[in-house]
Amino acid sequence: MLSLAILSPFIGSIVIALIPRKISRAESAPKTLFIVALLFSILSLVATLLAVQGYDNNNPLYQLRETWFQDVVSGAVGSFALDGISLGLFALTAVLFPLGIISSELSHAHQRAEGKEPERITLFWISLLFLETTVLGVFA
């Protein structure tokens, strides 16, 4: 579940980047980009909540370990795991990013109501989702 929680915002940023320009410049595009960003961030939150349910508070060691790769020759291992401190920060990140996405859309809607169209909105949503991926990866 950690992999899904970490990678879903990254996949969402790729989906937003692949939306054709003429669609992303249409009048309904800001709402579409917001919905895509929010859905992938909520997917990350749901995966995080499912992973947290499997955490044993009585065990102080790393848990929920997922190994992505292991090189037998060099001994390098790429894996994610959570301990008690990182679990709280990981879950807090997963909760705060959807709230930040909603808050950002409210701010953008306010700007549009004042007649100011937010610039580079596609890049904004891509960057925000990529930031979520990196922060979750750091805590795992």
Side-chain angles (χ1 to χ4, degrees):
M1 280 312 211
L2 287 181
S3 298
L4 180 62
I6 294 169
L7 289 178
S8 63
F10 181 70
I11 294 168
S13 66
I14 292 172
V15 168
I16 290 174
L18 292 177
I19 293 175
R21 285 197 168 209
K22 65 178 156 181
I23 292 174
S24 67
R25 290 187 180 163
E27 195 169 307
S28 63
K31 202 64 152 173
T32 304
L33 297 174
F34 159 69
I35 290 170
V36 171
L38 185 62
L39 286 176
F40 279 96
S41 187
I42 288 175
L43 177 63
S44 177
L45 173 62
V46 169
T48 299
L49 294 176
L50 291 173
V52 167
Q53 287 180 348
Y55 190 82
D56 178 17
N57 289 329
N58 297 322
N59 183 359
L61 303 175
Y62 283 108
Q63 297 177 43
L64 308 172
R65 184 178 302 271
E66 292 183 13
T67 302
W68 282 19
F69 66 87
Q70 185 170 6
D71 187 8
V72 180
V73 177
S74 68
V77 176
S79 65
F80 289 105
L82 296 175
D83 64 358
I85 294 173
S86 62
L87 174 72
L89 295 171
F90 193 89
L92 182 65
T93 300
V95 169
L96 288 180
F97 265 90
L99 296 176
I101 288 171
I102 292 168
S103 175
S104 296
E105 178 56 26
L106 292 174
S107 174
H108 292 155
H110 182 52
Q111 287 177 357
R112 283 191 290 276
E114 292 179 347
K116 303 175 199 170
E117 188 62 34
E119 295 182 18
R120 299 183 184 148
I121 195 74
T122 303
L123 183 61
F124 173 78
W125 293 121
I126 290 170
S127 300
L128 193 62
L129 288 175
F130 187 73
L131 177 65
E132 182 178 5
T133 299
T134 56
V135 172
L136 289 172
V138 164
F139 290 135

